[in-house]
Amino acid sequence: MIRFESVTKKYGDAEVLKGIDLEMQRGEITILIGPSGCGKTTTLKMINRLIEPTRGKIFIDERDIGELDPIELRRNIGYVIQQIGLFPHMTVGENIELVPFLKKWPEEKRLKRVKELLELVGMPDAEFIDRYPSELSGGQQQRVGVARALAADPEIILMDEPFSALDPITREQLQEELFNLQQELHKTIVFVTHDIDEALKLGDRICIMKDGQILQFDAPEVLLKSPAHGFVEEFIGKKRLLSSPELMTAEDVMIKDPVKAHPKRTLAQAVEIMRSRGVDSVLIVDEDNKLLGIATARDISERFDEKRYLDEIYTKDVIHVPPNESLSKVLKIMAERKIGYIPVVDEEGILVGLITRSSLINVLGESYF
């Protein structure tokens, strides 16, 4: 989807990027992380040509972006920054519809899109569409920033430390909301952060940089298990690394009360169950708590008008592991299958728990610190 080919950036004699090669996959969250001055923000800004490379090429869908009109390129890429950058003299609605307006969308289409996006980020249009940025909290402003980035439905979204200026509670809420949004929208997101916790919670793949070079680019599970460089090990934190994951099992790290529902639950009931627990999927079990499958918010939304019950839409044959499965095997399955969750099922088929990427990080944090 996005490919860097021997990209170098110099400012005078200072080499900020040193011939990096990097390929970011469609529909994934790629995290760029490293110490200040490592080149992560420069790398991000090259994707929408806010910064031009000194040497090398960048391709989007195999098209050299250096040959594209930079203004048109930027209008087709969402961009969210730490400072948010909302226009203070514009209402929330006007801020969100800015790019569709520049792209000459009809007014009716723009208004419909604004209302959809406000609903998507949890800000009802009746309450927020006519407010000004100064009337919003920091977290609300950043939600509007995310909505604005999504307005023209871009395939690619760039996020430059978007949550770093927020208080810890709001930041954690927005991280969770972004993860849930991504499960529904499947955008190609490039996300810059200096926070390894944030990287591990959100990233499908993490690119660790230092002094303008890429030291390791892998799935979070691989980074935790097999750091390829001494600095990577140091940056992640030695206590966090899974040097002996074979000693831990699925039972040690699983959530013991996963969100579940009977297959004869209606789709509306399933939506309410997920909403009340703050999740975007529900495990389907029978009367004996035997695992049957899974239904996601996306599955339900796509079939809401034509189907009524979960047993008409849920996915069967879900990958699962036994409680005594080694953590190293669980991590390997998650990395190879590119999945963010694995149900834990005993030998009789009974659902006993659920492992998610977020819960994995939380449990390991408690165990290793």
Side-chain angles (χ1 to χ4, degrees):
M1 176 63 177
I2 305 172
R3 179 164 59 87
F4 282 64
E5 191 176 275
S6 302
V7 172
T8 295
K9 180 62 183 177
K10 282 188 171 184
Y11 292 103
D13 293 331
E15 202 169 36
V16 179
L17 288 180
K18 301 175 180 178
I20 66 168
D21 295 298
L22 181 61
E23 191 162 343
M24 306 173 191
Q25 301 300 314
R26 183 186 300 277
E28 289 189 348
I29 298 181
T30 298
I31 304 289
L32 303 178
I33 188 169
S36 297
C38 70
K40 56 187 184 290
T41 294
T42 299
T43 301
L44 179 91
K45 289 183 175 180
M46 284 183 168
I47 296 171
N48 63 357
R49 293 185 62 186
L50 289 175
I51 295 176
E52 300 282 2
T54 304
R55 288 193 304 274
K57 293 183 177 182
I58 301 167
F59 299 88
I60 295 177
D61 287 337
E62 298 305 318
R63 295 182 67 190
D64 181 352
I65 66 170
E67 298 175 359
L68 304 177
D69 180 315
I71 302 300
E72 191 60 29
L73 174 71
R74 289 169 199 152
R75 288 179 182 174
N76 287 291
I77 295 177
Y79 191 36
V80 186
I81 58 176
Q82 177 183 337
Q83 296 82 8
I84 307 169
L86 299 180
F87 293 101
H89 62 288
M90 290 183 176
T91 64
V92 165
E94 290 167 341
N95 267 284
I96 294 173
E97 71 168 0
L98 181 59
V99 173
F101 174 79
L102 294 172
K103 292 171 76 73
K104 303 187 187 308
W105 285 22
E107 183 178 358
E108 186 178 341
K109 183 180 178 182
R110 296 199 310 268
L111 180 60
K112 182 182 177 184
R113 183 61 174 160
V114 168
K115 290 182 176 181
E116 288 173 351
L117 289 168
L118 283 172
E119 186 67 29
L120 192 67
V121 299
M123 298 175 66
D125 65 275
E127 184 178 350
F128 290 99
I129 196 168
D130 293 321
R131 288 196 192 181
Y132 286 88
S134 61
E135 300 173 310
L136 305 177
S137 69
Q140 289 170 338
Q141 289 183 33
Q142 197 57 281
R143 285 181 177 88
V144 174
V146 171
R148 184 175 63 181
L150 292 167
D153 198 22
E155 176 63 29
I156 297 170
I157 298 174
L158 309 180
M159 307 188 81
D160 191 1
E161 301 204 49
F163 309 143
S164 62
L166 302 173
D167 65 87
I169 293 175
T170 304
R171 184 176 186 176
E172 190 169 326
Q173 287 173 344
L174 287 178
Q175 289 169 353
E176 195 65 27
E177 287 174 18
L178 175 63
F179 181 84
N180 291 336
L181 272 177
Q182 177 65 351
Q183 304 313 297
E184 181 178 344
L185 301 177
H186 302 284
K187 297 296 183 182
T188 302
I189 298 175
V190 185
F191 190 109
V192 166
T193 183
H194 62 272
D195 183 344
I196 189 63
D197 290 330
E198 186 168 66
L200 292 167
K201 284 179 181 177
L202 293 176
D204 291 296
R205 292 200 294 170
I206 299 173
C207 178
I208 297 185
M209 303 179 70
K210 184 175 184 287
D211 298 331
Q213 297 178 304
I214 295 170
L215 300 185
Q216 188 168 358
F217 183 38
D218 269 314
E221 297 81 12
V222 177
L223 287 171
L224 287 168
K225 185 173 185 290
S226 306
H229 189 281
F231 176 80
V232 174
E233 184 175 323
E234 221 174 274
F235 191 79
I236 294 174
K238 292 184 180 180
K239 290 183 179 180
R240 192 195 306 271
L241 296 172
L242 308 183
S243 55
S244 300
E246 293 78 12
L247 301 179
M248 299 183 74
T249 66
E251 192 170 20
D252 294 326
V253 297
M254 71 185 185
I255 299 169
K256 293 182 171 62
D257 60 339
V259 181
K260 54 193 177 183
H262 189 277
K264 284 301 180 183
R265 283 279 194 180
T266 67
L267 301 191
Q269 288 171 344
V271 168
E272 188 55 37
I273 289 169
M274 287 188 281
R275 192 195 309 277
S276 66
R277 292 288 296 273
V279 297
D280 65 343
S281 62
V282 60
L283 295 170
I284 311 302
V285 297
D286 65 12
E287 295 85 352
D288 299 318
N289 206 40
K290 288 188 176 182
L291 179 67
L292 302 176
I294 190 169
T296 67
R298 187 175 186 181
D299 295 333
I300 293 171
S301 65
E302 287 177 351
R303 309 295 295 278
F304 203 84
D305 293 329
E306 56 182 275
K307 301 294 182 182
R308 186 175 178 192
Y309 296 101
L310 284 172
D311 64 1
E312 298 176 284
I313 61 103
Y314 76 84
T315 301
K316 302 174 177 65
D317 302 321
V318 177
I319 297 169
H320 58 271
V321 295
N324 61 354
E325 186 65 83
S326 72
L327 182 54
S328 59
K329 180 69 177 293
V330 172
L331 294 172
K332 183 179 180 183
I333 292 171
M334 292 176 77
E336 289 179 350
R337 300 297 186 97
K338 295 183 179 179
I339 54 178
Y341 60 85
I342 298 184
V344 182
V345 175
D346 70 15
E347 57 187 13
E348 295 178 354
I350 305 297
L351 176 69
V352 295
L354 177 69
I355 298 172
T356 68
R357 182 171 291 160
S358 293
S359 68
L360 191 60
I361 298 305
N362 290 338
V363 171
L364 291 174
E366 292 172 5
S367 301
Y368 284 86
F369 284 91

